[in-house]
């Protein structure tokens, strides 16, 4: 990634000097379907991009630069003066000297189609040979498609013109019209470069409309569209996508008091997408895996609804009002993450979405907030590489958790009124932290600076533990909440919490009988209102999940959960307890085998399907990373036996049965279990109500391949049965998972030594390469990893670099020698790119945590 970075200081200097009046961008995409593969000599396949930028300079005579990453530039003209591309273009920047007060820059370039999901991605569908294009830019890849000023605070209106192959349809942010093979799009509102968008190809397109009449009688009509590849059209449930979209638009109009500002609302489900989705105004892009080819649980539909609402919230938080620089990325992502769940609960059928938030999203935040790379919600982003890595659990899930806590602190009405004023005051502009705090201070009547210092400007997660003293009569004499902070981030924060007391009913259920909301401040807070209450069997210190903290338990509460976790009747309380137990496991305070035992004992009684699927993932992680090596085989047997038992006991045809079937596939390793999977695939055996559709077939085939029970010919036959883009990804993953030294060598070479694979197939190969049952096979690659990563980071795109550095770290070589090798690399590469060092430091921390947890688990054996 040489020369492609942009520092915050450079961006600030350019923003102080320039303002942009508008862009005209003309793309000729007819080359997308010409010939096979890339052009001769290994050069990339390119398209013509002609950009005209009208901008002003407040210091005539000054110099600046425009951004462009392209294989070649045909011509550059500044204010009618032709410039020599060889002199002014260095591969990433176009030097601009002697600027006038008003300027016009015209750049004619040959830009490259992408195979990494960055810029203009080109995908050839193996099912029918059709070509599909889409753009993805955040944080700074629009410069791979057209020349621009690539920073969020130089907003401008855009007019796009696209020449496309015959028979194609083209979409962009504005409404388009086609004439003589050229698509021309309406000028956009002032927006940032990273949310402009073009999607082109023979996509399947479905339309609908949304209408709303406001109190003053004005009427808003929004054309709706949804598109996907033709091969996915039979599976595309566009009606449900439109239902969630309309419910979301109603909800946000009710609460934001600012009409949707970007005209139409298209949603494109695109192939080989690196992200979940992207909030391009008028043309939101999603990964096509949100179109379900087989049976999935309601958790999958809820996840899709959450993403739809998350991206929709961005139309206001992020697109209408945009952060000035990536330091304040949270101003859009934290809000959108919060609003995705807030809207799902308030507007859709997914009324239990806060349970998913507590159980799944917060787990992401807790992990990120304990890494050495943790940072405040308002981060210190020096450059674009920093920005790329900060799309993390802090910016999204912790930020959303903090906003949830803020709602409890200032009240929902004050919070939403602050949002409304924020939109009106800063529409089409850029903001910083202080702009939001100002309006929240106005609407809440509170001084927001202390809250912001504690929650937005410091890092780390606090732990809250109950202390219960009983009087001689067996009632609560004193109940206190003890707050602890890690040494690395010693900030103790104000927490608005609910403390719940639980005990058994005569019927044996574990239910809450007392609840108090209180403010926890400092190291110890006494909850006076609970004095005199009957003795609890369980104290839940963050009941209802109001704050962001790690929940701990007193001895009595932990003993109660060990025996009666399944008797907890409230699903949110149960989810919070599971999350707390998982954090205890990760923190080496609860042996991994104990956590696995709790899952085996109580998961079968879990009613919330999302929580159940999270428990399955955690149980696998506990066994693979946190269990003592000498117990792994025993633990694997117990998990496989338990999964099969629950699979057979589940209601036929239910989503719980499907979840247990998938979990059983991940746990299966013994010959009888592998034979059952084989029999289910070929139809010689069956389980009442379980439909083995194509997606489930691939889920069964991966463990068979990983354990040597399905060879290359079996996988080839399955691909012939499912000769689609999805089928190809599954096959590649299964091929790389086979237990052979030659297979591992080939997979390594394809990912590390070659650029032949697309981003999606790189991801699939990495996923197959690292199998927990193949630690010995992959051991030789630990040394190769450290020898290769700096070169990979230097030569490959940042997305592929991240995939390789994260995905191939030798985490399964979980022994002190691997930790020492990691430390040696870090010591010898102090001058390596900071983003690369961050990724290695994070992987090192995960490994060190695993070793501590294994020691805890081994001590349980010795005990």
């Amino acid at each position: 990634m040489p020369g492609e970075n942009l520092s915050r200081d450079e961006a600030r200097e350019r923003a102080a000097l320039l303002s942009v009046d508008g862009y005209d961008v003309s793309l000729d995409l007819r080359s997308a379907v010409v010939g096979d593969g890339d052009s001769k000599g290994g050069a990339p396949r390119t398209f013509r991009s002609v950009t005209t930028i009208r901008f002003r300079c407040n210091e005539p005579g000054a110099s600046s630069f425009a951004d462009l990453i392209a294989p070649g530039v045909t011509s550059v003209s500044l204010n009618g003066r032709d410039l020599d591309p060889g002199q002014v273009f260095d591969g990433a920047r176009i030097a601009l000297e002697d600027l006038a007060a008003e300027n016009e820059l015209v750049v004619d370039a040959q830009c490259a189609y992408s195979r990494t999901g960055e810029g203009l991605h080109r995908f050839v569908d193996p099912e029918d040979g059709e070509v599909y294009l889409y753009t993805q830019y955040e944080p700074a890849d629009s410069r791979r498609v057209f020349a621009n000023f690539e920073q969020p605070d130089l907003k401008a209106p855009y007019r796009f013109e696209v020449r496309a192959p015959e028979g194609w349809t083209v979409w962009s942010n504005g409404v388009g019209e086609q004439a003589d093979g050229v698509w021309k799009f309406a000028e956009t509102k002032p927006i940032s470069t990273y949310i402009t968008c073009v999607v082109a190809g023979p996509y399947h397109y479905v339309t609908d409309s949304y209408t709303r009449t406001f109190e003053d009688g004005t009427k808003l009509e929004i054309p709706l569209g949804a598109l996907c590849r033709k091969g996915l059209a039979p599976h595309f449930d566009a009606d449900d996508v439109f239902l969630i979209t309309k419910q979301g638009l109603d909800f946000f109009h009710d609460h934001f008091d600012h009409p949707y500002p970007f005209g139409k609302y298209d949603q494109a489900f695109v192939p080989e997408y690196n992200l979940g989705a992207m909030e391009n105004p008028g043309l939101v892009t999603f990964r096509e895996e949100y179109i379900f080819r087989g049976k999935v649980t309601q958790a999958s539909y809820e996840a899709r609804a959450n993403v739809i609402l998350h991206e929709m919230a961005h139309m206001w938080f992020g697109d209408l009002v945009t952060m000035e620089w990536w330091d304040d990325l949270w101003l859009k992502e934290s809000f959108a993450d919060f609003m995705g769940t807030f809207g799902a609960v308030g507007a859709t059928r997914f009324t239990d979405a806060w349970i998913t938030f507590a159980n799944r999203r917060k787990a992401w935040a807790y992990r990120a907030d304990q890494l050495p790379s943790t940072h405040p919600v308002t981060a210190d982003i020096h450059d674009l590489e920093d920005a790329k890595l900060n799309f993390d659990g802090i910016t999204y899930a912790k930020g959303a958790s903090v906003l949830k806590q803020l709602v409890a602190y200032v009240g929902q009405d004050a919070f939403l009124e602050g949002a409304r004023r924020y939109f009106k005051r800063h529409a089409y502009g850029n903001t910083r932290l202080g702009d939001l705090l100002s309006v929240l201070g106005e609407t809440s009547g509170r001084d927001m600076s202390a809250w912001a210092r504690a929650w937005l400007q410091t890092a780390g997660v606090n732990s809250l533990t109950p202390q219960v003293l009983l009087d001689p009569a067996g009632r609560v004499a004193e109940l206190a909440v003890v707050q602890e902070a890690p040494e690395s981030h010693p900030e103790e924060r104000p927490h608005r919490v609910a403390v719940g007391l639980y005990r058994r009913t005569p019927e044996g259920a574990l239910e809450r009988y007392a609840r108090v909301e209180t403010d926890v401040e400092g190291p110890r807070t006494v909850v006076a209102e609970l004095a005199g209450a009957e003795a609890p069997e369980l104290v839940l210190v963050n009941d209802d999940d109001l704050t962001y903290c790690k929940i701990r338990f007193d001895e009595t509460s932990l003993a109660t959960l060990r025996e009666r976790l399944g008797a907890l009747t409230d699903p949110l309380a149960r989810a919070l307890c599971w999350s707390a137990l998982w954090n205890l496991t990760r923190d080496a305070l609860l042996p991994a085998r104990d956590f696995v035992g709790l899952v085996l004992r109580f998961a079968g009684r879990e009613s919330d399907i999302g929580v159940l699927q999270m428990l399955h993932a955690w149980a696998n992680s506990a066994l693979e990373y946190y269990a003592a090596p000498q117990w792994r085989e025993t633990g694997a047997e117990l998990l496989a036996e338990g999964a099969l038992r629950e699979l057979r006991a589940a209601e036929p045809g239910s989503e719980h049965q499907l979840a247990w079937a998938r979990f059983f596939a991940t746990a299966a390793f013994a010959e009888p279990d592998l034979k059952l999977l084989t029999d289910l695939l070929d139809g010689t055996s069956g389980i009442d109500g379980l439909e083995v559709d194509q997606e489930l077939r691939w889920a069964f085939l991966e463990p068979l391949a990983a354990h040597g029970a399905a060879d290359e010919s079996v996988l080839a036959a399955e691909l012939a049965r499912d000769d689609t883009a999805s089928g190809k990804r599954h096959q590649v993953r299964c091929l790389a998972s086979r237990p052979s030294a030659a297979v591992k060598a080939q997979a390594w070479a394809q990912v590390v030594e070659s650029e032949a694979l697309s981003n999606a197939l790189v991801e699939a190969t990495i996923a197959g390469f690292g199998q927990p049952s193949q630690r010995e096979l992959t051991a030789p690659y630990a040394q190769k990893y450290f020898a290769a990563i700096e070169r990979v980071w230097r030569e490959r795109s940042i997305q592929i670099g991240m995939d390789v550095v994260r995905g191939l770290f030798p985490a399964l070589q979980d022994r002190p020698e691997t930790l020492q090798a990691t430390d040696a690399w870090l010591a010898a590469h102090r001058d390596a790119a900071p983003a690369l060092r961050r990724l290695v430091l994070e992987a090192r921390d995960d490994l060190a945590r695993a070793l501590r947890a294994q020691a805890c688990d081994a001590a349980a054996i010795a005990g």
Side-chain angles (χ1 to χ4, degrees), residues 110-126:
Q110 293 297 316
C111 295
Y113 294 103
S114 169
R115 300 187 72 245
T116 66
E118 301 153 294
L120 180 59
H121 188 80
R122 178 179 180 269
F123 173 78
V124 181
D125 193 333

Side-chain angles (χ1 to χ4, degrees), residues 529-817:
E529 298 92 331
L530 291 174
E534 292 187 25
E537 293 181 73
L538 168 66
V539 180
L540 191 54
V541 296
N542 186 28
D543 213 350
D544 298 323
D545 197 36
L546 299 184
T547 194
Y548 172 79
C549 71
K550 289 196 291 188
I551 298 171
R552 302 301 199 201
F553 300 109
D554 62 297
E555 290 185 9
T556 299
S557 297
L558 186 56
T560 297
L561 292 174
R562 286 180 181 273
E563 295 300 319
R564 300 185 181 88
L565 175 54
L568 258 176
T569 56
D570 181 78
L572 178 56
R574 207 165 53 241
L576 291 169
C577 289
W578 278 120
S579 177
L581 291 166
W582 177 240
N583 279 321
L584 288 171
T585 306
R586 293 188 73 249
D587 291 345
L589 298 174
L590 180 72
R593 72 194 55 219
D594 289 5
F595 183 82
V596 170
L598 288 166
V599 171
L600 290 172
R601 184 174 180 184
F602 297 120
R605 299 169 63 180
E606 179 54 58
S607 60
D608 187 286
I609 191 64
V611 172
L612 177 62
Q613 290 176 285
M614 196 77 243
L615 292 177
H616 290 162
W618 287 344
N620 277 330
S621 293
L623 180 65
E624 293 166 8
Y625 299 108
Y626 300 150
Q630 61 268 35
W631 187 76
R632 282 183 189 139
E633 185 173 349
T634 299
E637 291 173 354
L638 291 171
L639 273 186
E641 290 171 4
L644 182 57
R645 181 177 62 250
E646 296 294 346
L647 169 58
R648 294 192 183 280
E651 179 184 348
S654 67
E655 60 182 358
H656 281 66
Q657 183 189 55
L658 176 62
W660 283 108
R662 288 184 171 276
F663 183 50
F664 172 66
T666 66
F669 74 99
E671 193 279 332
D673 294 336
L674 298 175
K675 184 177 186 306
L676 175 57
L677 291 177
T678 302
D679 292 346
L680 289 169
L681 283 170
D682 63 24
T684 58
S685 181
I687 294 176
D688 186 24
L690 183 66
E691 179 186 350
V692 184
D693 60 28
Q694 186 60 62
E695 287 296 294
L696 195 55
R697 289 183 65 84
W698 285 115
F700 288 176
L701 275 165
E702 183 172 1
L704 292 173
H707 293 288
D711 61 18
E712 186 173 2
S713 65
V714 172
L715 300 176
E718 194 66 28
L719 180 63
R721 174 192 181 108
D722 181 27
D723 192 9
T724 65
S726 300
K728 182 61 177 177
R729 290 195 298 271
H730 287 308
Q731 187 221 20
V732 166
R733 186 178 69 252
C734 291
L735 285 171
S737 72
R738 291 171 296 157
S740 156
V743 164
K744 300 306 173 187
Q746 181 183 33
W748 179 271
Q750 287 174 330
V751 169
V752 177
E753 308 300 337
S754 168
E755 296 185 35
L757 297 181
S758 69
N759 56 321
L761 297 185
V762 165
E763 180 183 344
T765 303
I766 290 172
F769 180 86
Q771 297 292 323
S773 61
Q774 299 170 5
R775 283 175 161 86
E776 291 184 6
L777 267 180
T778 54
Y781 294 92
Q783 184 176 355
K784 293 180 180 181
Y785 170 88
F786 292 111
I789 55 174
E790 193 167 28
R791 172 181 57 80
V792 169
W793 191 262
R794 181 175 62 250
E795 296 177 357
R796 309 290 282 276
S797 76
I798 190 168
Q799 181 63 50
I800 298 299
M802 289 166 58
D803 290 343
V804 170
V805 175
R806 281 177 172 154
L808 292 179
F809 181 84
L812 292 172
Q813 309 308 314
D814 44 0
R815 50 183 183 266
E817 293 80 3

